[in-house]
Amino acid sequence: LLIPPSVTRRLRRRFGAQYAWFRFVYVVVSVLTLLPLLWWQWRIDTPLVWAWHLPWSLLQWTLLGGAGIIMYLGARQYDQPFFFGIRQIRDHLSTHDAEYAGFEVRGILARVRHPYYTAGILFLLAYGDVTASNLILKAVGIAYFIVGAFLEEKKLVAEFGEQYREYQRRVPMFIPRLRGDRDGRTQGSGS
């Protein structure tokens, strides 16, 4: 809900220079509000829906390994201090502007537009045996990643225009291509 440019513009106007704290506070509040839900979900006793046994456990570990690799490769491409809001605060306190400079298509971003969302979906699909309670959590989490990616795409198209549309045409949203962009022409997003 906080992704659309109209919302971020309003927040920038409302908070002025203090908007630099927005992303960091957003990350902290997101984690703190998710933790009680996770704790509750792990504590309740609900029926088992699916257990990973051989040969299916091989698929489970492949998906978890893929999620880990994609997450690692994504982390190598993104400006982590910016992603978590730390650079914005640091730059605000030292009176520098911490705007995101743009996007580049290299590494994993030449193969998939949303590596963090892809890794999150794979992780939710494969982590742990499936109970009635965590099936709901998995479904809501996957829906959150998908809806979030589409909302973020709208924001990126508004911000980068045709350059991002070209990136969308060439690079898949969630399922990584085995081969990257051959000519390296496309400029693309981080998340």
Side-chain angles (χ1 to χ4, degrees):
L1 296 175
L2 297 174
I3 288 176
S6 60
V7 173
T8 55
R9 278 192 302 270
R10 276 184 281 208
L11 289 170
R12 282 179 191 270
R13 281 194 306 269
R14 170 113 167 84
F15 293 106
Q18 298 304 315
Y19 180 79
W21 291 83
F22 171 76
R23 185 147 187 139
F24 179 76
V25 170
Y26 172 81
V27 169
V28 170
V29 169
S30 296
V31 169
L32 291 178
T33 56
L34 182 61
L35 288 176
L37 177 62
L38 293 176
W39 178 81
W40 173 77
Q41 179 266 307
W42 284 320
R43 299 271 303 154
I44 62 174
D45 188 28
T46 61
L48 183 66
V49 175
W50 170 266
W52 295 93
H53 298 293
L54 279 173
W56 295 106
S57 59
L58 297 174
L59 174 63
Q60 177 189 28
W61 288 104
T62 300
L63 292 173
L64 289 171
I69 290 168
I70 292 169
M71 182 66 74
Y72 169 76
L73 294 172
R76 289 186 51 174
Q77 297 306 128
Y78 296 133
D79 177 353
Q80 296 305 311
F82 187 89
F83 186 82
F84 289 105
I86 295 166
R87 186 159 60 92
Q88 292 90 319
I89 295 169
R90 185 187 61 219
D91 289 354
H92 166 68
L93 295 174
S94 65
T95 66
H96 289 95
D97 188 9
E99 286 300 314
Y100 185 60
F103 63 93
E104 297 178 18
V105 175
R106 57 190 166 102
I108 191 71
L109 298 176
R111 300 171 190 281
V112 63
R113 295 195 311 265
H114 297 283
Y116 281 170
Y117 293 154
T118 297
I121 290 168
L122 290 175
F123 179 81
L124 287 173
L125 286 172
Y127 180 74
D129 291 334
V130 179
T131 65
S133 65
N134 76 16
L135 179 61
I136 294 167
L137 183 69
K138 288 172 183 276
V140 169
I142 291 169
Y144 172 83
F145 287 134
I146 292 169
V147 169
F150 279 99
L151 291 174
E152 188 171 334
E153 293 261 309
K154 286 178 70 173
K155 175 185 172 191
L156 292 167
V157 166
E159 185 174 348
F160 297 107
E162 186 55 36
Q163 187 180 24
Y164 195 81
R165 283 189 196 90
E166 175 63 22
Y167 179 57
Q168 288 176 306
R169 287 189 285 272
R170 297 170 62 140
V171 177
M173 188 179 229
F174 295 116
I175 301 171
R177 274 194 320 216
L178 295 179
R179 297 177 65 177
D181 189 18
R182 278 183 258 166
D183 60 11
R185 290 182 298 139
T186 308
Q187 294 291 309
S189 164
S191 157

